[in-house]
Amino acid sequence: MGRLTAGPGPPHHRVKGPTAVTSTTPWTWAYEGYDPAAQRLRESLCTLGNGYFATRGALPECTADEVHYPGTYVAGCYNRLTSTVAGRQVENEDMVNLPNWLPLRFRPAGGDWLTPDGTPVLEHHQTLHLEAGLLERRTRYRLGEHDTLHVRQLRLVHMADPHLAALRTEFTLESGTADLEVEAALDGGVTNSGVPRYRDLNGRHLTHVHTGTDAPDTVWLRCRTTTSDIRIGLASRLTADAPVVCAHDHLRAGQRVRLALSPGHTAVVDKTVALHTSRDQAISDPLQAALDRVGSAPRFDELLRSHRTAWGQLWRRAQLEVPGEAGSILRLHLFHVLQTLSPHTADLDVGVPARGLHGEAYRGHVFWDELFVLPYLNLHFPRSPGRCSTTATGAWNGPPRRPARSAGAAPCTRGRAAATAARRPSSSISTRARALAARPQPPPAARRLRRGVQRVAVLRGQR
C-alpha cells in the first residue's frame, strides 16, 4: 500500500487511498485514505450493531448527502407511507431510519466546521475491530499553515446492554494553541433517503419530534412513526473537561463545549446514548426508560470493558478457524450476522432483512435470507437461549411467536408477499425449512456442518 500524500485539487480529494480494504490482522478490517466515492460502501461494512439496533459507520461530523449516509435502525421498527408515483397512489412499508445519535462536529473557535469534504486532510484511517465490535477512526486535519489537529474516535454499540451506544473523541493539537468548539446532537430531522431508486417515495417516517434537557450534561429527543405509531426515545450524556451547554435547534437536541487545546495534551469528549422504543418489554415510556438508562450508564472505559467481554463470549461460540484471506472475509461476514442476530434478538418479533440492519436497500424487507443462516446458528448456538428451529427470524428461538399485529405495525416477515405478511404468524416458514430446522439430535459436528451446507445449496436452488 502506498503512502498517503497531500496534493492539489479539491479538499476532499487531497488525501485518497485505495478503495479496497486492507485487513491488517485476522481480526481487523482497515481502510486507509479518504475516498468520497467509497464512503457509502465503507459505512455499510463498518456498521456496528447488537441485534437490537445498528448504526452505519458514517463519520460523526458529516451529515447525510451524496457521499455520506448516517443511519440507525431498530430491529422490527417499520412504518407504512403512501406516495404518489406517476399519478398513482403507492403504499410502501420501510424499516425506519431513526433519529441520528452520531452527530459530533468541531471547529476552531469562530471558524468553519471541519469535515474531510471541506478541510485539507493529511491522513485518514478507519479500522473495524471484529473481535471487540469496535470502530476506530484517526484523522489529521490541517489548521491554517502550521497547525495540525489529530482526531481519534472509538465507537461501540453495546453488546451487553442492547440499548446503549457510546462514542469517545480525542483531540490533540500537534503545535500551537487553540480553542476548539465541539457540538454534539441528537438529530430528529432524518428521512429514509439512503437508496437513490427510492427517493421518489415518501421517506418522512417520523413525526411529533420534541427535544429537551434532563440534566446539565443530558439531553433527550422523542418522536413517533407516522402510521405504525411506534414511540421512540433517545437520551444523550456528554462528558468533557469543560462545561457543557445545551443548545437545542429545530428537530435537534444539541450540546456544546469549548476546549482549550495545547500541544501534546489530549482533550477527551465522551458521548453516551440510550435508545428505547414502545416495542420494548417492561417499560411504560420509551423516553423515561432512555433517560434512566443513560443516567445509570457507567463511563466509557467501563462500557468498553463490558462490551469487549460480551463480544468475547459470543466469539468463543461462533468462531470458525479458517486461515488466510478467506478466514478474514469469513470473520467479517460472521461479524455482521452476529450484529443482526444476537442473543438480544431472541425475544424480539423480527425477521432477517436482506441487508441486515445496515441500510435501506430492499426497504428492510425479509425474503428467504433467514434460511441461509439457520445451519450456522443451529450448529454454534443450538441451546442459546434455545434451539434455533422454527423461527422465521433465523435467529435464536424463543417461545412461539404471536401473529403479527396490524398491517401498519407488523414488525417482521416483510417483502415476500405484502398482502399476507401482516396476517401470518412470524414463526411461519416453508414446510421444507421447518422440517430441516426441527430435526431433534443432529449428527456429530463435522457431519452437521456438511449437511448444513448441502441444505443451503438446495434452498438456494429453489429461491
Side-chain angles (χ1 to χ4, degrees), residues 243-324:
V244 177
V245 178
C246 297
H248 303 310
D249 296 326
H250 181 56
L251 304 180
R252 287 170 63 96
Q255 297 170 289
R256 294 176 182 170
V257 62
R258 189 182 181 108
L259 304 174
L261 301 183
S262 58
H265 173 72
T266 298
V268 180
V269 177
D270 289 339
K271 183 178 184 180
T272 306
V273 175
L275 168 62
H276 277 273
T277 79
S278 56
R279 299 184 70 249
D280 299 341
Q281 298 180 5
I283 67 167
S284 57
D285 176 37
L287 176 58
Q288 189 58 52
L291 288 169
D292 292 343
R293 191 169 296 270
V294 82
S296 61
R299 299 290 186 178
F300 185 89
D301 290 333
E302 179 57 35
L303 283 174
L304 180 57
R305 280 193 292 270
S306 56
H307 175 69
R308 285 180 179 272
T309 299
W311 264 107
Q313 294 170 346
L314 208 55
W315 278 119
R316 276 196 291 273
R317 302 191 63 181
Q319 183 178 347
L320 294 177
E321 292 293 342
V322 178

Side-chain angles (χ1 to χ4, degrees), residues 162-175:
H163 299 280
L164 288 179
L167 174 69
R168 165 164 286 184
T169 307
E170 301 172 352
F171 300 101
T172 305
L173 196 63
E174 296 184 5
S175 62

Side-chain angles (χ1 to χ4, degrees), residues 101-144:
W101 65 270
L102 279 180
L104 191 145
R105 59 183 182 173
F106 40 88
R107 64 183 177 184
D112 296 329
W113 297 109
L114 305 182
T115 70
D117 301 303
T119 307
V121 176
L122 302 179
E123 291 183 36
H124 182 73
H125 310 272
Q126 193 169 16
T127 305
L128 181 63
H129 298 272
L130 304 179
E131 191 171 20
L134 192 67
L135 181 61
E136 180 182 14
R137 164 274 181 99
R138 297 174 183 266
T139 306
R140 292 178 65 231
Y141 284 109
R142 174 171 290 169
L143 303 181

Side-chain angles (χ1 to χ4, degrees), residues 319-436:
Q319 183 178 347
L320 294 177
E321 292 293 342
V322 178
E325 182 182 8
S328 297
I329 295 173
L330 180 60
R331 287 186 196 94
L332 178 69
H333 283 266
L334 295 182
F335 176 76
H336 287 299
V337 169
L338 295 175
Q339 291 193 124
T340 303
L341 302 170
S342 80
H344 303 301
T345 319
D347 296 323
L348 301 181
D349 189 10
V350 299
V352 184
R355 289 290 180 89
L357 302 177
H358 297 55
E360 296 161 15
Y362 299 103
R363 300 199 296 274
H365 289 194
V366 176
F367 300 94
W368 293 97
D369 305 83
E370 57 218 21
L371 301 182
F372 303 136
V373 298
L374 280 171
Y376 168 77
L377 294 176
N378 267 331
L379 175 65
H380 289 270
F381 300 91
R383 303 286 179 186
S384 177
R387 283 188 67 245
C388 171
S389 55
T390 59
T391 59
T393 64
W396 328 68
N397 86 317
R401 305 290 197 250
R402 299 185 304 275
R405 289 169 256 183
S406 66
C412 71
T413 60
R414 307 271 187 314
R416 295 197 192 107
T420 60
R423 294 199 299 266
R424 56 193 167 97
S426 63
S427 61
S428 171
I429 59 176
S430 70
T431 303
R432 172 184 289 274
R434 187 160 51 240
L436 292 175

